[in-house]
Structures are given as C-alpha cells and as structure tokens.
Amino acid sequence: MEKQIPKYFLEIAYNGTAYHGWQIQDNAVSVQEKLNDALAILLREPVETVGAGRTDTGVHAKKLFVHFSSSAKVLENSDRFVHSLNALMPFDISAKRLIPVGPEAHARFDATDRSYEYHVHFHKDPFLHNFSWLLRDKPDVEKMNIAALELLGRQDFSCFSKSNTQVFSNFCDIKRAEWIWEGDKLVFHISADRFLRNMVRAIVGTLMEIGLGKKPIEHIKGVIQSMDRSKAGTSVPACGLYLTEVIYPYID
C-alpha cells in the first residue's frame, strides 16, 4: 500500500491592499502566489495550497485556512515551521498556526460556517485608510438592522452575486446579519454557511441605501425576491471587508 503524504491546515492572516485577491492569477500578484512561493522554499518542493475560499482584490483576512500535503521534516516542529515561514513571507501576510489533519480533510469543502465584517468610519483618519470605508453621512442603524432580518435563513441570493460565476447554487444560509457601533466605527457582522462572489459588499451597499434614506426598509425584500443583481445596491469599496472566521467541525 502506498504511504499517504501527511496533510496540514495552515491558518493565515493578511492585509489584502497590495493583492488581487487570494487566488493565483496569470497577470496579477495574489496572496496564494506569495504563500506558495514561501512554502516551496521552506519545504524544498513545489506546493499547491487550497484555500477555504477566495477574497477579492483589496479584501483582508483575519483568519483563513489553507491545506497542503508534504512529507518535509521541517513540518515536525510546528512552532519552528511557522516562525520560518513568516520570515520568508511579505510583511502583509502572516502564518498563525500549523495543524495536522486527516487525509480527507479539505479547507474549502469541510468549512461549515464563515464570517465577515465590514468596517465604516465617518471622520478622516490616515490610520484607517485602506482598512475601512470613509462615509460622510451617518446612516440610520436601526433601519438597517430591521432590513437585515430579511437576510436570515436559507435563500437564493442571486441578487447579491456577480454574474457568470462558476457555482452550482446561489442558495446560502445566513445565520447572522447585524450592524454594531464599535466606538466611532460602524461594523457589519455577517455569518453564513457559504458566500457568493461580491455578496457581502453588495449586501452592505443595499443596506446603506436604506440607512441613508434612499430606499425604504421593505426594499430589501423585493431585491431578494427579484434575484436580479441590478436591483441591489452598488458594491461598497473592498477596503472595509474582512474575512474573520472559518469554522470546521474538527478544529478548535
């Protein structure tokens, strides 16, 4: 019987400002490209990583898991491996922890829940540039939270998805959708079993139309029922979006 190559999950975080998203692309620099390059040097062999999902250009991740397989001895000491890997990666990408997993484990397909945050601020702050969306007028948060209740549950969210995406279904089960003041910043928290491309930014844009008085609260229900992207609000800037959590049944 052929010996199984050990498989690992790697938890990473990154500032997405300089990258054209997570996934490797032909003519643009991605987070996955930089990670694969660093792993290849450290493991002394080509490495293919698989991520829990993709993030778009300029989007950040506080927690993303990837999986890869390797028999390299450097993996036997996880703390030393993480330290060495961080030394090889750019300042805006960091490895957090290495977790041995079973041969069937999959970073994308085994994830049961994912969470995002969208950050908004209302006064010019150079330290929030590229990390939060600067908005002039404060929205009505109560109205936005009432509207956000319409998002909960399993529904077809085609209205919030980019067109021509290669997915088999546009159904998602949203378990949390809530705006919270955190000091002077307004943060949207959303959790679901899966997300469509551009979905969170389109949802935020739609809720902002309601919060700023451009649309009534009932507008969001019609948008969802339409299954038409043109009925939803404009996608808000990527800089305020963070992937914050990915949940697996076998990882603490």
Side-chain angles (χ1 to χ4, degrees):
M1 183 179 292
E2 187 176 346
K3 187 176 179 180
Q4 201 101 41
I5 300 175
K7 181 178 281 189
Y8 298 88
F9 269 30
L10 179 69
E11 180 187 337
I12 66 169
Y14 54 84
N15 167 357
T17 304
Y19 301 102
H20 287 255
W22 153 256
Q23 193 165 3
I24 286 179
Q25 300 176 46
D26 290 336
N27 300 308
V29 180
S30 69
V31 176
Q32 188 179 26
E33 176 188 340
K34 293 296 184 182
L35 175 61
N36 286 2
D37 288 348
L39 284 170
I41 294 170
L42 186 57
L43 301 176
R44 299 183 180 182
E45 61 185 10
V47 177
E48 290 188 12
T49 55
V50 175
R54 63 173 65 182
T55 55
D56 289 335
T57 300
V59 175
H60 315 294
K62 294 182 179 180
K63 180 182 287 188
L64 174 73
F65 287 96
V66 308
H67 78 243
F68 66 93
S69 298
S70 174
S71 299
K73 284 192 171 294
V74 69
L75 292 160
E76 294 174 1
N77 186 320
S78 60
D79 289 340
R80 184 178 298 173
F81 171 81
V82 168
H83 179 81
S84 299
L85 181 60
N86 278 325
L88 291 168
M89 287 197 296
F91 74 93
D92 46 11
I93 307 173
S94 70
K96 298 292 188 180
R97 57 176 173 153
L98 181 73
I99 306 165
V101 293
E104 303 302 319
H106 197 287
R108 179 183 173 191
F109 298 138
D110 291 355
T112 57
D113 291 279
R114 297 166 172 86
S115 296
Y116 284 87
E117 292 176 2
Y118 193 86
H119 292 235
V120 184
H121 64 291
F122 301 92
H123 301 285
K124 187 175 180 180
D125 185 337
F127 298 104
L128 294 177
H129 182 64
N130 286 330
F131 298 105
S132 179
W133 180 31
L134 175 60
L135 196 61
R136 184 187 65 182
D137 299 321
K138 291 186 178 180
D140 187 322
V141 176
E142 183 178 1
K143 285 184 178 180
M144 291 198 296
N145 277 334
I146 293 172
L149 293 175
E150 295 290 342
L151 298 166
L152 300 179
R154 181 173 171 76
Q155 303 182 66
D156 186 322
F157 288 107
S158 298
C159 60
F160 297 125
S161 174
K162 278 188 175 180
S163 59
N164 302 319
T165 57
Q166 296 176 330
V167 295
F168 296 109
S169 170
N170 285 337
F171 276 84
C172 305
D173 184 6
I174 295 182
K175 301 167 185 180
R176 183 188 184 191
E178 181 182 18
W179 290 92
I180 297 176
W181 283 105
E182 298 183 6
D184 293 333
K185 291 176 68 179
L186 186 58
V187 182
F188 181 57
H189 298 262
I190 186 166
S191 301
D193 61 340
R194 62 192 290 264
F195 288 91
L196 308 173
R197 285 202 67 189
N198 206 234
M199 180 173 169
V200 179
R201 290 163 60 195
I203 287 174
V204 171
T206 304
L207 291 174
M208 272 296 173
E209 287 186 340
I210 293 168
L212 295 172
K214 298 177 182 179
K215 300 287 184 181
I217 292 173
E218 299 77 22
H219 172 67
I220 194 164
K221 191 171 185 178
V223 170
I224 295 169
Q225 291 174 345
S226 76
M227 294 187 288
D228 183 349
R229 178 65 185 89
S230 68
K231 303 295 184 185
T234 302
S235 291
V236 292
C239 62
L241 185 59
Y242 298 76
L243 175 63
T244 58
E245 188 76 76
V246 186
I247 302 294
Y248 298 89
Y250 44 77
I251 294 179
D252 293 333

